[in-house]
Amino acid sequence: MARSKIALIGAGQIGGNLALLAAQRELGDVVLFDVPAAEGAAKGKALDIAQLLPVVGRNVGLAGTSKYEDVAGADVCIITAGIPRKPGMSREDLLGTNVRIISEVAENLKRVCPHAFCIVVSNPLDAMVYTFFKLTGFPKQRVVGMAGVLDSSRFRAFVAMEVGVAVEDVTAFVLGGHGDDMVPLVRCCSVGGIPVTELLPKDRIEAIVDRTRKAGGELVALYKTGSAYYAPAASAIAMAESYLRDKKRVLPCAAYLEGEYGVRGTYFGVPVVIGRSGVERVLELSLSVEEQAAVHKSLESVRRTVAETKV
Ligand code: APR
């Protein structure tokens, strides 16, 4: 069986970590793509990672390039091209620059990878994935945004730290847009099957919800020169792996909705099943009045940002 080909569009901080994780998990051959000015870094990361493969005993090919022809025929494309946040910036502040970059990426991937499963990571996420979907014309099953896996992982990490338990025993998910009004669903958070509300007082849970919403900004303030990259990369790899290995994992992702959760014609964070056909299903659950109001607020923010892209 031929090896899968994974194209990483943007070979910056997240791109480099995506390459490392994809190689370590032997997901397929990896091509790191970046603009000509950053081609050296793309080639360098490919070579550096190729040199760790003998140590970890994994066999995949790695290459760096600034030519779209080299990513042709990729099975999965993960798009991180764009600029990251600096302290004091919101994700929305990246809009103008990143819309231009995503548009260029979309036009090229449409040409060279017409059958790829595409995961968009660039921010502001919900608007970038919508732009990419519109400009490529790819089916909704094959264009998805990475946000919910990351936001949920942050939520789980904070709950595990607070309760003092293993992270893998904490289940949780976050609905809605990848902005400060995302909706961590406390009702669906459990620790070893026990509702978190049985284990933590209300004020501690509220503090965790608030920290989850602002977790990206917390890292921007610490890093000063950019935004998070380890956890975003791991989250996108979980999505790529579920697709390539047909795992049918239930992962919260930005998916194109056509009536689910009462939302139509917008990318929005919801739990989906990812398998060999891409986004195979959106899982729906009924929301309380309070949850609906929070989702509505998040949806309004996403719609405002998308409207500014003028796609
Ligand atoms: N085509 C391809 N790559 C591009 C283009 C383009 N037109 N324009 C910029 N890039 C590349 C940059 O050269 C850089 O190497 O995208 C890369 C982005 O990497 P970083 O600046 O290190 O940013 P990173 O932390 O990886 O975040 C990328 O993901 O989470 C989001 O908000 C984050 O929008 C940001 C994106």
Side-chain angles (χ1 to χ4, degrees):
M1 217 170 84
R3 279 195 208 148
S4 299
K5 179 171 175 177
I6 300 155
L8 306 176
I9 311 301
Q13 295 282 37
I14 302 179
N17 280 288
L18 286 169
L20 177 61
L21 293 169
Q24 284 177 328
R25 299 183 82 84
E26 232 169 30
L27 291 187
D29 293 334
V30 175
V31 181
L32 284 141
F33 174 95
D34 212 301
V35 293
E39 190 182 25
K43 285 187 186 303
K45 287 177 189 183
L47 191 57
D48 200 353
I49 295 168
Q51 291 167 8
L52 76 73
L53 295 180
V55 181
V56 297
R58 293 284 183 272
N59 291 287
V60 293
L62 286 129
T65 186
S66 63
K67 291 188 206 65
Y68 271 103
E69 282 56 44
D70 294 332
V71 306
D75 301 284
V76 172
C77 297
I78 308 181
I79 297 114
T80 63
I83 52 165
R85 284 198 275 172
K86 301 267 162 49
M89 289 171 92
S90 73
R91 294 184 181 91
E92 287 67 30
D93 292 334
L94 310 173
L95 190 76
T97 306
N98 285 356
V99 151
R100 280 195 298 280
I101 292 173
I102 289 295
S103 305
E104 181 195 309
V105 171
E107 292 305 335
N108 282 290
L109 292 185
K110 183 179 171 178
R111 187 170 55 80
V112 299
C113 301
H115 306 295
F117 178 63
C118 298
I119 302 170
V120 178
V121 178
S122 311
N123 274 314
L125 188 271
D126 305 277
M128 291 304 102
V129 65
Y130 179 82
T131 303
F132 185 87
F133 169 69
K134 282 285 163 190
L135 295 181
T136 54
F138 288 171
K140 65 178 183 178
Q141 290 81 1
R142 285 204 283 109
V143 179
V144 64
M146 189 295 293
V149 178
L150 171 64
D151 297 327
S152 305
S153 186
R154 287 170 167 164
F155 189 22
R156 292 170 62 196
F158 296 147
V159 169
M161 286 174 203
E162 184 74 25
V163 184
V165 295
V167 284
E168 64 256 49
D169 292 325
V170 179
T171 313
F173 78 95
V174 174
L175 270 182
H178 188 46
D180 291 352
D181 45 20
M182 65 181 74
V183 188
L185 274 193
V186 173
R187 180 166 60 97
C188 297
C189 176
S190 65
V191 179
I194 304 164
V196 70
T197 45
E198 301 277 332
L199 300 173
L200 290 177
K202 200 162 178 270
D203 63 324
R204 293 311 306 150
I205 295 175
E206 275 167 12
I208 289 172
V209 165
D210 188 54
R211 189 174 180 196
T212 301
R213 288 186 163 138
K214 297 176 185 152
E218 185 178 355
L219 284 160
V220 171
L222 289 168
Y223 281 146
K224 294 195 172 66
T225 53
S227 48
Y229 44 94
Y230 294 121
S235 304
I237 288 294
M239 294 162 66
E241 185 172 25
S242 193
Y243 170 75
L244 288 167
R245 304 208 158 124
D246 195 22
K247 289 177 79 168
K248 305 202 189 296
R249 290 199 60 194
V250 177
L251 298 168
C253 300
Y256 188 70
L257 300 185
E258 291 178 297
E260 301 91 339
Y261 291 91
V263 179
R264 195 169 286 281
T266 305
Y267 268 85
F268 202 55
V270 291
V272 303
V273 177
I274 296 186
R276 198 57 186 142
S277 306
V279 177
E280 297 185 345
R281 257 193 315 153
V282 172
L283 300 186
E284 282 192 84
L285 80 160
S286 35
L287 301 174
S288 68
V289 173
E290 212 177 43
E291 289 162 352
Q292 273 174 25
V295 164
H296 185 74
K297 186 170 173 229
S298 175
L299 182 62
E300 288 304 301
S301 303
V302 169
R303 287 202 165 130
R304 263 196 307 278
T305 313
V306 169
E308 280 180 51
T309 64
K310 303 186 182 69
V311 180

